[in-house]
Amino acid sequence: MSTDAAAADNNDALVLSEDPNHPANLICSLCRNFYTLGWVTGTGGGISIRQNTPDHDHIFIAPSGVQKERLAPENMFVLDNATSTYLRRPLDLKPSACTPLFMAAFTRRGAGACIHTHSQAAVLCTLLSRGRTWSIANVEQIKAIPRPSTGGYMGYFDTLTIPIIENTAHEEDLRESLEKAMEEYPDTCAVLVRRHGVYVWGDTVWKAKTQAESLDYLFQLGVKMVQLGLDPAGPITPVEED
């Protein structure tokens, strides 16, 4: 990705706003929230938000190497979505290694936001499942997960399946396998990365947040079910009559 003259001037106007719902402000507030959940510990994880208006199509991305609970709007990188050109890049910070994966969610799925967490529950699910997917069924929270092929959401009796890709030494090298998983599982709104975490995207930042929270609930529940000897994707056990 190239850097143009606007980036050289730092273009602070792109990230400074009193609107709490401005992407640069939202990234900061959401990352503080995610930190309390244990999702973005030790500078890991991140979030990217797309701002698509009649005038522009910008991608806001949290930087690499900054503790997520301490982020400030001036730390944000801004990309032009059409050209993948940096419109703003803080001179003392590095772009997120997640950037190519965030961009895959925007270009392949038309997402409005993409969240990457290092949730322990997500990591454990990738270890409990030795295959290429993780599944859970017959749980109410599944109804919060969209199913694009029908234009609606999953149902209580449905089986939710999330693809798992193998981790790499460098995060940006995950893009090819992430995109392949998107192609193979067109209804998924998330991809698990074994021994690493999860990427979750949504049509808007609030849908992405809802889906990330709901999935983490399901990951935690799935881990506890296995601990109790239950199959997360198993059938409903009939009630025993007295």
Side-chain angles (χ1 to χ4, degrees), residues 138-179:
N138 305 311
V139 177
E140 181 71 10
Q141 198 68 29
I142 289 174
K143 292 160 66 175
I145 307 303
R147 182 159 49 191
S149 62
T150 65
Y153 287 80
M154 299 198 69
Y156 168 66
F157 293 108
D158 292 331
T159 297
L160 171 67
T161 297
I162 305 295
I164 302 173
I165 61 176
E166 300 304 317
N167 198 27
T168 56
H170 303 288
E171 188 131 17
E172 56 267 27
D173 295 336
L174 289 168
R175 178 167 185 164
E176 184 177 346
S177 55
L178 182 86
E179 291 180 336

Side-chain angles (χ1 to χ4, degrees), residues 1-84:
M1 297 181 181
S2 62
T3 304
D4 60 14
D9 293 335
N10 223 21
N11 233 345
D12 287 349
L14 290 175
V15 298
L16 299 180
S17 171
E18 295 183 0
D19 180 1
N21 288 316
H22 185 280
N25 293 328
L26 272 181
I27 289 175
C28 297
S29 60
L30 288 172
C31 279
R32 285 193 291 272
N33 173 240
F34 297 161
Y35 177 78
T36 67
L37 299 174
W39 289 2
V40 292
T41 304
T43 80
I47 180 172
S48 180
I49 298 175
R50 181 181 182 184
Q51 185 185 59
N52 189 9
T53 74
D55 299 324
H56 61 257
D57 189 358
H58 294 167
I59 306 295
F60 293 75
I61 306 176
S64 176
V66 178
Q67 292 173 323
K68 297 303 185 288
E69 74 278 17
R70 300 177 64 190
L71 282 173
E74 54 266 29
N75 299 145
M76 299 302 134
F77 285 77
V78 185
L79 282 165
D80 177 71
N81 190 38
T83 63
S84 294

